[in-house]
Amino acid sequence: MNSNLFHNIANVLTAILAVLVAVLLFTGCTGDFTTQLIVDCSGSSIDAKWLSIAIGIISALKLGLNVLRDGVGGLTKPQPPVEK
């Protein structure tokens, strides 16, 4: 696996995780899991819903720009060497 492929897989996973967090937050973001894993989200000065949406949008934009720049096939091609 080359670094460009890994970079783009990471972009996709970041976007998916951000969307999943947003879904959890929109469905209440409370929780009482009877262990030490408790989610509340009320103590944050920034609304976590909008923060996770912003992360998802930024990740999707980054991936979209990569597709526009290199095409879908370019997402898995090794990057050329950096010119000095």
Side-chain angles (χ1 to χ4, degrees), residues 2 4-5 8 66-79:
N2 60 57
N4 190 38
L5 176 59
N8 288 297
N66 284 345
V67 170
L68 287 174
R69 180 191 65 199
D70 300 328
V72 175
L75 294 177
T76 58
K77 290 189 330 190
Q79 290 293 307

Side-chain angles (χ1 to χ4, degrees), residues 3-12 14-15 53-71 74-75:
S3 63
N4 190 38
L5 176 59
F6 176 80
H7 168 83
N8 288 297
I9 289 171
N11 282 341
V12 170
T14 301
I53 289 170
I55 292 167
I57 289 171
I58 291 168
S59 297
L61 285 174
K62 185 175 184 208
L63 186 62
L65 288 174
N66 284 345
V67 170
L68 287 174
R69 180 191 65 199
D70 300 328
L75 294 177

Side-chain angles (χ1 to χ4, degrees), residues 14-83:
T14 301
I16 290 170
L17 290 173
V19 169
L20 290 175
V21 169
V23 168
L24 289 174
L25 293 172
F26 277 124
T27 59
C29 195
T30 56
D32 182 10
F33 302 108
T34 65
T35 64
Q36 298 201 12
L37 188 63
I38 298 173
V39 178
D40 184 5
C41 302
S42 64
S44 177
S45 60
I46 300 172
D47 191 349
K49 288 186 274 193
W50 301 113
L51 183 60
S52 60
I53 289 170
I55 292 167
I57 289 171
I58 291 168
S59 297
L61 285 174
K62 185 175 184 208
L63 186 62
L65 288 174
N66 284 345
V67 170
L68 287 174
R69 180 191 65 199
D70 300 328
V72 175
L75 294 177
T76 58
K77 290 189 330 190
Q79 290 293 307
V82 176
E83 293 182 27

